[in-house]
Amino acid sequence: EPKEEDAGLWWEGVAPEDEIGVGEYCLHFSPLLDHDANTWDTRLVATATLCLHRKAPPAGDHGTGNAKAGRRIRLHAIGVVVEECSLKVVSAEEKTIPIETVLYNDDVEQLCFVLGDDLPEATPAQLFIKYHTRIYKDDEHRGVYVVQFADRPATASTEQSLSTLGDEGNDESNSEERMVPGLATHFEPVDARRAFPCIDLPAHKSSFLITVTAPSAYDVISNMPVMSQEEDKASEEAVPLKTVRFERTPRMSSYLVCWIVGKFDFIESDIILPYNTDGEKKDTPLVVRVYTPVGEQEKGRYAMEMADMSLKYYSQNFECGYPLPKLDIIAIQNLDALAMENWGAMVFLQDFTLVSSETPLSRKQRISRLVFHEVMHQWIGNLVSVKLWKYLWVKEGFARYLEYFLVTGFFPQWHYWDHFVAEIQTDAMKRDEAKWTHPVEVEIANPRDIVHVFDMISYGKGASVLRMIASYIGPTVMWKGLRMFINKHKHGAVSTEDLWAALTAAADGAVDINALADSWIKASGHPILAVRQVPSDEASTVTYQITQHPSSELLLFPLSHSCTDQLSVPLFIRTAPGVVARVQGSSKWINADEPAQSTYSTQLISGTDTTLTFEFKDAGAPKQWWAILNANRSGFYRIYYSSEILESITQGIRQGQVAPEDVLSILIDAFSTETASHPDLQVSTHAFLDLLEAVSQMPIDNQASFAESSTLYVWTQVAKILNYWVHSLLADDVSVLDASTSAAFAAYVSKLYAPLMDVLTLVPTDEREPDTVTTLRGSVLSQLAVCNAPSSQQQQPQQPQQPQPQQRQRQQQQQEDTARRHKWVAAQAPLVAKYFAAQQSQ
């Protein structure tokens, strides 16, 4: 052991990845199964051979940073206990360097091999380690952990077994299903170090040769195809064993390593991709498999079809092939996430893999999104990795954005961008308006904090900002930029700046993406644009004044870290149909007949105050005219329209002139600004209730097509808004309306929901009804029950317990929401009474 006063010196100086490079890991895992107890030994025995080299000191160091640097090898590790180790320099002499001791430091999650001599710089060496580590149980789904698999007892004969299979290959016999324990791995973001000593960082890429010794009755899967499999006849274990060796992986990050020991059936398809990894347009074969529980392989066919479609699409549009010879989707029961993109061996939660004839549409939609997301990671995330975890949003934001891009492209009848707006973007905005938000790109000091940025900001806000940029520069430029990005950085690692550079180059310098987008990523919050119509210099024009506010002005409590800088904001302008108009200074006419023109135009604004003046091609300014400044809700910002503009848009909704996706956007923003703390951003109660009434008059599809229409998302938003109003104004604990106003408001709500209930009906008529429709019906019926009996006490559903620190954040958010609600109720009660009094007098 080193002297106590010297022990700390072994941890000083540069980070391990700056001293040691690992070119290849040879890993052999030997888990032990107690067959009688039907459980795994908690100690995982393994060996690792690391082909490594010592790096030259960083520029300017000149070897003075730490005199011990040449006599140490530091690796990331948690719970790894070294039993034997040796170090051999790969040279003609094959010199062995003695290892004096191994030190452990749990604070930095590292171990240190103290060498008896200096390891020469840039000289290949092999570090052999025999060690044991922990197999995790009890719902700890990290590192190597236990997962349950379905098994069936052996039948009397093969013929009898085959005779019990149904049309879908499912066992219809009376034999009881039993569960057997298997093993799975989950290493993202920093848990590979729990399974083997390594440089556990996304930018540090190495190849892996993986070997697993496991019970012969189990299937063993890893990132690459099986290279060899041998029965271990010499084993003294009670359970027969086999040793499975897998082919060498491409260079990849440690968190993508995967091996699974379980019981599966599978289906497979052989597909042809149009490009190889070198970017050559050349047919490239690929085997796609879906591993399912025993006997349920046909239920994996839908997921396999989604994988086939997305693989071909990404390869074609990235102009880059998939570099591995196979891609698996592996369904398991125990996983904290819905899926994990391990290269070549994607792991999915079982409930989000299997599809039968009874599976509702909403579950199939979710599975489609999930497959498109994880397959995209095979390129951005795996082939092109992030340099540091602070750039997590680059891979996760793009995966979330492109999953919706593909779903909308393959299934346009689902109107899935509306789902993105209603669920992903809206939730991301709410999180971005909370006290405990953070920038999309956030510095991370402690590796244990990385997991906390796998959240709606990195995924949802990141995807929303990318969608805004793509809408501004156009899909052609976006895909060109992605092609440049992937083919330049494949097998490497990237930062945010690398992405901006690729998109700017794709735009041929016409747009500086870094100047446009970087502040959106590196600051918390987002803009609120207050839009008012002001007198124009000319009678033939209409002028809008736009004032940019930070989103913190929606809150009752100030933020110390909110975005105070004025952002560059792309506007997406759609105007009343039938009138050809344009922004002064723009060459693009909106609603023009020319095929090259479109129904909306883009305009980039910046600064606190901006003036937009619209001019009209054929005549002067029409009396009834409006402009929506965030068409399709393409931008990640809210818009407050003054009462005058909102009334014009409301009239347009009554006349069927406003597209459902724009109605959805207006509802979302009107409700958020209606509850704002800033007095200049509050929509009048009269205008807001008129807006809801106009929306209720929009045509509704019949029940069969309602679930696949944009109208579903509009009504879902209406229900969210009215749920807030009903339970705030009519519940016993905050009874603030007099009897007359309560009755008038209840009648208003009932009348508003009448056309919807004509379509929904009181009970489902289809067992496969999507969850979205079921949830909407439940919310509406709950509100109507309150309206029919406003004096009844409304019990709010209990929120499930959240893990720390999310539980503390949730409690804090609930307290803020309660304070906001009480303030809102106090302000709204007299205004609601005034509104219905005016209605009755009319």
Side-chain angles (χ1 to χ4, degrees):
E1 292 290 336
K3 296 179 181 179
E4 185 174 349
E5 59 269 20
D6 292 340
L9 297 177
W10 295 103
W11 308 105
E12 295 180 353
V14 300
E17 64 272 16
D18 294 326
E19 283 185 349
I20 297 296
V22 182
E24 183 170 272
Y25 296 84
C26 299
L27 306 173
H28 188 164
F29 300 97
S30 302
L32 299 177
L33 175 67
D34 185 335
H35 184 70
D36 294 331
N38 199 36
T39 186
W40 294 92
D41 192 327
T42 57
R43 195 174 79 156
L44 173 62
V45 177
T47 62
T49 301
L50 281 63
C51 300
L52 53 81
H53 64 277
R54 179 185 165 206
K55 297 180 179 180
D61 190 309
H62 305 299
T64 60
N66 191 330
K68 298 181 181 296
R71 292 187 52 227
R72 68 181 179 189
I73 297 175
R74 290 176 299 157
L75 300 168
H76 295 113
I78 302 176
V80 171
V81 179
V82 177
E83 299 175 1
E84 299 176 19
C85 55
S86 61
L87 179 65
K88 180 175 64 175
V89 176
V90 180
S91 62
E93 296 80 14
E94 291 195 351
K95 175 184 175 181
T96 297
I97 297 179
I99 299 177
E100 295 183 348
T101 190
V102 181
L103 305 177
Y104 301 85
N105 188 330
D106 292 338
D107 291 337
V108 293
E109 301 182 353
Q110 296 175 18
L111 57 77
C112 176
F113 297 90
V114 178
L115 310 182
D117 198 357
D118 279 349
L119 176 63
E121 291 180 11
T123 301
Q126 288 185 345
L127 174 62
F128 171 80
I129 311 166
K130 181 181 179 182
Y131 66 96
H132 65 266
T133 188
R134 175 184 170 190
I135 292 178
Y136 291 83
K137 298 182 180 180
D138 301 324
D139 297 326
E140 287 190 88
H141 304 150
R142 58 182 180 176
V144 181
Y145 65 94
V146 176
V147 59
Q148 297 298 318
F149 292 91
D151 194 14
R152 293 182 178 84
T155 53
S157 66
T158 302
E159 290 76 11
Q160 180 182 350
S161 176
L162 292 175
S163 68
T164 64
L165 293 179
D167 293 337
E168 292 190 348
N170 299 322
D171 192 345
E172 298 175 351
S173 70
N174 294 323
S175 60
E176 291 186 4
E177 181 180 84
R178 72 185 187 101
M179 304 304 292
V180 296
L183 296 174
T185 62
H186 186 86
F187 295 152
E188 188 182 32
V190 286
D191 285 324
R193 62 190 70 182
R194 297 181 186 274
F196 56 96
C198 57
I199 302 295
D200 198 12
L201 295 168
H204 190 94
K205 296 193 171 187
S206 311
S207 58
F208 293 83
L209 279 167
I210 297 172
T211 301
V212 180
T213 296
S216 298
Y218 281 74
D219 301 305
V220 184
I221 308 169
S222 186
N223 303 84
M224 296 294 287
V226 172
M227 181 168 57
S228 67
Q229 177 173 308
E230 298 176 1
E231 297 295 327
D232 192 352
K233 299 179 181 179
S235 172
E236 298 179 357
E237 299 293 331
V239 178
L241 300 177
K242 63 183 178 184
T243 297
V244 184
R245 295 178 176 82
F246 296 92
E247 296 177 11
R248 178 181 283 103
T249 71
R251 292 174 60 249
M252 67 182 193
S253 307
S254 55
Y255 76 89
L256 297 172
V257 170
C258 173
W259 56 271
I260 294 179
V261 177
K263 298 289 186 78
F264 298 100
D265 278 334
F266 68 86
I267 56 173
E268 77 173 32
S269 66
D270 297 309
I271 67 172
I272 301 295
L273 300 184
Y275 283 85
N276 63 19
T277 314
D278 294 328
E280 299 171 334
K281 191 169 179 57
K282 180 180 180 181
D283 288 352
T284 305
L286 175 65
V287 177
V288 179
R289 283 185 177 181
V290 178
Y291 287 88
T292 72
V294 173
E296 298 192 63
Q297 60 269 33
E298 280 302 317
K299 293 182 180 179
R301 193 164 297 281
Y302 182 82
M304 187 174 70
E305 291 172 355
M306 296 302 101
D308 291 355
M309 292 162 56
S310 55
L311 282 162
K312 294 173 183 176
Y313 187 91
Y314 288 135
S315 178
Q316 178 69 44
N317 286 276
F318 292 151
E319 293 185 1
C320 179
Y322 172 79
L324 278 67
K326 60 100 172 175
L327 178 62
D328 299 330
I329 293 176
I330 307 162
I332 64 174
Q333 288 192 1
N334 309 99
L335 187 67
D336 284 343
L338 295 183
M340 174 61 205
E341 69 266 21
N342 308 307
W343 218 0
M346 303 187 301
V347 179
F348 279 53
L349 198 61
Q350 183 174 303
D351 288 344
F352 290 88
T353 312
L354 308 182
V355 172
S356 68
S357 57
E358 288 77 33
T359 301
L361 174 64
S362 53
R363 179 56 59 90
K364 293 177 68 175
Q365 291 171 334
R366 190 67 184 90
I367 291 172
S368 299
R369 280 179 50 201
L370 198 60
V371 173
F372 295 164
H373 183 111
E374 304 305 332
V375 170
M376 201 288 302
H377 275 318
Q378 306 304 302
W379 280 269
I380 301 179
N382 299 2
L383 182 63
V384 179
S385 303
V386 293
K387 288 181 178 178
L388 300 168
W389 285 113
K390 76 173 186 177
Y391 304 122
L392 169 71
W393 84 273
V394 173
K395 76 183 188 76
E396 296 301 345
F398 254 121
R400 179 56 40 88
Y401 168 67
L402 288 178
E403 76 184 54
Y404 276 89
F405 190 97
L406 262 67
V407 168
T408 304
F410 287 132
F411 306 102
Q413 70 275 18
W414 291 350
H415 301 279
Y416 228 56
W417 278 128
D418 296 331
H419 183 280
F420 179 89
V421 166
E423 301 295 333
I424 304 301
Q425 189 188 79
T426 300
D427 287 352
M429 280 188 163
K430 290 180 180 177
R431 172 65 191 267
D432 203 32
E433 292 160 358
K435 288 186 69 174
W436 33 274
T437 188
H438 62 81
V440 174
E441 182 181 300
V442 57
E443 297 290 342
I444 303 170
N446 189 319
R448 291 300 117 193
D449 291 335
I450 297 171
V451 66
H452 301 313
V453 299
F454 281 74
D455 63 1
M456 185 55 75
I457 295 295
S458 298
Y459 285 67
K461 183 177 178 180
S464 298
V465 172
L466 289 171
R467 177 173 178 251
M468 178 175 67
I469 295 169
S471 298
Y472 183 67
I473 63 178
T476 301
V477 175
M478 182 200 71
W479 282 106
K480 179 182 177 183
L482 285 178
R483 286 191 289 271
M484 297 170 67
F485 178 68
I486 290 173
N487 286 287
K488 179 179 180 179
H489 298 288
K490 57 190 174 188
H491 300 295
V494 296
S495 66
T496 299
E497 287 69 27
D498 293 319
L499 175 60
W500 299 156
L503 294 176
T504 300
D508 296 324
V511 181
D512 184 344
I513 301 297
N514 185 76
L516 167 64
D518 209 46
S519 296
W520 290 84
I521 297 301
K522 295 180 179 177
S524 300
H526 50 269
I528 307 173
L529 305 182
V531 184
R532 293 170 174 82
Q533 186 168 332
V534 297
S536 296
D537 295 335
E538 302 176 21
S540 60
T541 62
V542 172
T543 299
Y544 282 3
Q545 181 180 343
I546 305 170
T547 303
Q548 186 176 156
H549 296 260
S551 56
S552 57
E553 294 185 2
L554 287 173
L555 302 176
L556 294 173
F557 309 99
L559 298 179
S560 59
H561 56 277
S562 66
C563 175
T564 56
D565 295 334
Q566 302 299 319
L567 300 176
S568 295
V569 180
L571 299 180
F572 304 90
I573 304 169
R574 178 176 286 139
T575 61
V579 179
V580 180
R582 70 179 178 186
V583 177
Q584 278 188 352
S586 172
S587 61
K588 186 172 184 179
W589 291 96
I590 306 171
N591 297 327
D593 293 333
E594 293 86 350
Q597 305 300 321
S598 67
T599 58
Y600 78 93
S601 174
T602 58
Q603 186 81 18
L604 188 66
I605 65 170
S606 60
T608 302
D609 291 296
T610 304
T611 298
L612 287 185
T613 298
F614 295 91
E615 57 187 15
F616 303 90
K617 188 172 184 180
D618 299 322
K623 293 181 179 180
Q624 185 67 40
W625 185 86
W626 45 262
I628 291 171
L629 303 188
N630 193 9
N632 302 326
R633 202 167 181 79
S634 300
F636 190 74
Y637 46 83
R638 297 193 188 277
I639 295 185
Y640 161 84
Y641 293 103
S642 66
S643 295
E644 180 183 4
I645 298 175
L646 187 58
E647 287 171 6
S648 295
I649 295 175
T650 299
Q651 186 62 26
I653 294 173
R654 286 195 176 96
Q655 296 171 355
Q657 296 177 337
V658 185
E661 55 267 28
D662 290 332
V663 174
L664 174 63
S665 179
I666 291 164
L667 283 171
I668 292 169
D669 285 345
F671 182 57
S672 297
T673 53
E674 188 267 343
T675 59
S677 61
H678 194 292
D680 292 339
L681 295 176
Q682 294 176 348
V683 177
S684 74
T685 300
H686 185 283
F688 191 70
L689 292 175
D690 275 357
L691 171 65
L692 291 179
E693 189 270 335
V695 171
S696 72
Q697 299 176 16
M698 294 175 60
I700 305 177
D701 299 313
N702 58 47
Q703 189 171 22
S705 59
F706 178 67
E708 295 186 354
S709 69
S710 293
T711 314
L712 167 65
Y713 301 104
V714 173
W715 275 104
T716 299
Q717 185 61 32
V718 170
K720 288 179 180 179
I721 294 170
L722 283 178
N723 186 68
Y724 188 96
W725 280 68
V726 167
H727 287 95
S728 295
L729 296 176
L730 297 181
D732 276 350
D733 57 340
V734 287
S735 182
V736 294
L737 301 180
D738 58 53
S740 175
T741 304
S742 293
F745 179 57
Y748 167 90
V749 173
S750 299
K751 179 181 178 182
L752 191 144
Y753 278 136
L756 175 64
M757 291 309 300
D758 287 342
V759 172
L760 281 185
T761 69
L762 291 176
V763 294
T765 58
D766 187 345
E767 294 180 354
R768 296 173 298 173
E769 177 180 272
D771 298 340
T772 47
V773 177
T774 304
T775 302
L776 174 60
R777 177 188 292 104
S779 176
V780 172
L781 291 177
S782 172
Q783 295 169 47
L784 291 176
V786 174
C787 291
N788 291 329
S791 61
S792 63
Q793 182 69 30
Q794 298 304 313
Q795 298 293 331
Q796 297 297 326
Q798 295 294 317
Q799 296 293 328
Q801 291 294 316
Q802 302 290 328
Q804 298 289 348
Q806 288 91 336
Q807 183 179 2
R808 294 193 300 272
Q809 295 175 342
R810 181 64 64 187
Q811 290 172 346
Q812 180 183 16
Q813 187 66 36
Q814 287 174 345
Q815 291 171 358
E816 295 178 12
D817 289 344
T818 299
R820 185 202 299 267
R821 181 187 291 255
H822 288 166
K823 181 177 180 180
W824 177 86
V825 166
Q828 287 297 328
L831 297 175
V832 171
K834 183 178 180 181
Y835 175 84
F836 287 110
Q839 294 289 316
Q840 291 172 358
S841 66
Q842 292 174 5

